[in-house]
Amino acid sequence: GDGGNDVSMIQAADAGIGIVGKEGKQASLAADFSITQFSYVGRLLLWHGRNSYNRCASLSQFIIHRGLIISVMQTIFSAVFFFVSISLYQGVLLIGYSSFFTMGPVFLLVLDVDVEAKIAMMYPELYKEMQKGRVLSYKTFFMWILVSVYQGAAIMYLGILLFQEDFIHVIAITFTVLIVTELLMVVVTVRTWHWL
């Protein structure tokens, strides 16, 4: 909407777009998104909307993967040692895993772009992929779950089986492999690399 009479419509919408116009700024102040010209609506939906959807889908699935893989490893560690209540990784490693070691690479997912702006504007059919929910669906969700369980089990079982003689180092070995695995998952997921 572009005027004061559109405020109720904008507020009732899932995502309201207000246009600063001759009738004032009431619509743009009440809106979720404010633009200065109506011609910017296409770019807002086809480019920024597409990127927002893809980024949110990738980020949410990666965060679920990041939490589930370490949970699977902890479960296997506890099961192997007769369900003793000892944490696989102590405080500093656990906090470092979820903040320092894997938070930086996640920003690559937040900045990811699958197609250029002019291509998204030239081919609005690309937006149908978003409407069909192919990026974030039950299928993709369960694929990430399956990958998480597989990777967590493989890291833990192989760490225990291959390093039985040096079992005192199994924590360091499995943690290093866990971090490398997470970084490789980001590398596989990211479509566009940004060089600073």
Side-chain angles (χ1 to χ4, degrees):
D2 63 349
N5 59 337
D6 296 327
V7 170
S8 61
M9 174 185 67
I10 289 171
Q11 290 177 338
D14 290 333
I17 301 172
I19 303 170
V20 178
K22 296 176 184 175
E23 298 180 24
K25 295 185 178 181
Q26 294 92 358
S28 67
L29 291 174
D32 298 316
F33 302 98
S34 179
I35 55 177
T36 57
Q37 297 177 12
F38 186 74
S39 61
Y40 296 157
V41 171
R43 184 171 175 86
L44 180 66
L45 292 176
L46 297 176
W47 171 243
H48 295 289
R50 174 186 183 80
N51 284 337
S52 177
Y53 179 78
N54 281 334
R55 291 169 179 168
C56 287
S58 296
L59 184 64
S60 63
Q61 291 174 344
F62 182 78
I63 288 174
I64 290 170
H65 171 266
R66 187 177 71 176
L68 186 60
I69 191 171
I70 201 163
S71 299
V72 168
M73 291 176 68
Q74 177 64 51
T75 303
I76 292 172
F77 180 78
S78 295
V80 167
F81 294 105
F82 308 106
F83 298 100
V84 67
S85 61
I86 298 174
S87 178
L88 175 60
Y89 303 119
Q90 298 305 316
V92 175
L93 290 179
L94 204 54
I95 292 171
Y97 170 74
S98 61
S99 59
F100 180 71
F101 296 118
T102 58
M103 188 61 76
V106 167
F107 284 110
L108 293 173
L109 295 172
V110 174
L111 300 173
D112 197 19
V113 175
D114 63 340
V115 295
E116 294 180 18
K118 60 183 178 182
I119 292 175
M121 297 298 292
M122 192 181 307
Y123 300 105
E125 303 87 31
L126 293 172
Y127 196 74
K128 287 184 179 179
E129 181 181 324
M130 306 297 116
Q131 291 176 328
K132 292 180 180 177
R134 292 184 179 151
V135 179
L136 185 62
S137 64
Y138 286 118
K139 180 182 177 183
T140 59
F141 174 75
F142 286 117
M143 287 300 294
W144 276 91
I145 297 291
L146 183 66
V147 166
S148 302
V149 170
Y150 173 75
Q151 287 176 346
I155 291 170
M156 204 62 230
Y157 279 129
L158 289 175
I160 291 171
L161 292 175
L162 295 177
F163 298 99
Q164 287 179 351
E165 296 84 29
D166 299 324
F167 193 73
I168 194 157
H169 302 297
V170 77
I171 303 297
I173 292 167
T174 57
F175 189 76
T176 304
V177 173
L178 175 65
I179 297 298
V180 170
T181 302
E182 291 300 312
L183 295 177
L184 288 175
M185 286 301 292
V186 171
V187 168
V188 170
T189 306
V190 169
R191 297 180 205 104
T192 304
W193 288 96
H194 301 280
W195 305 104
L196 299 175

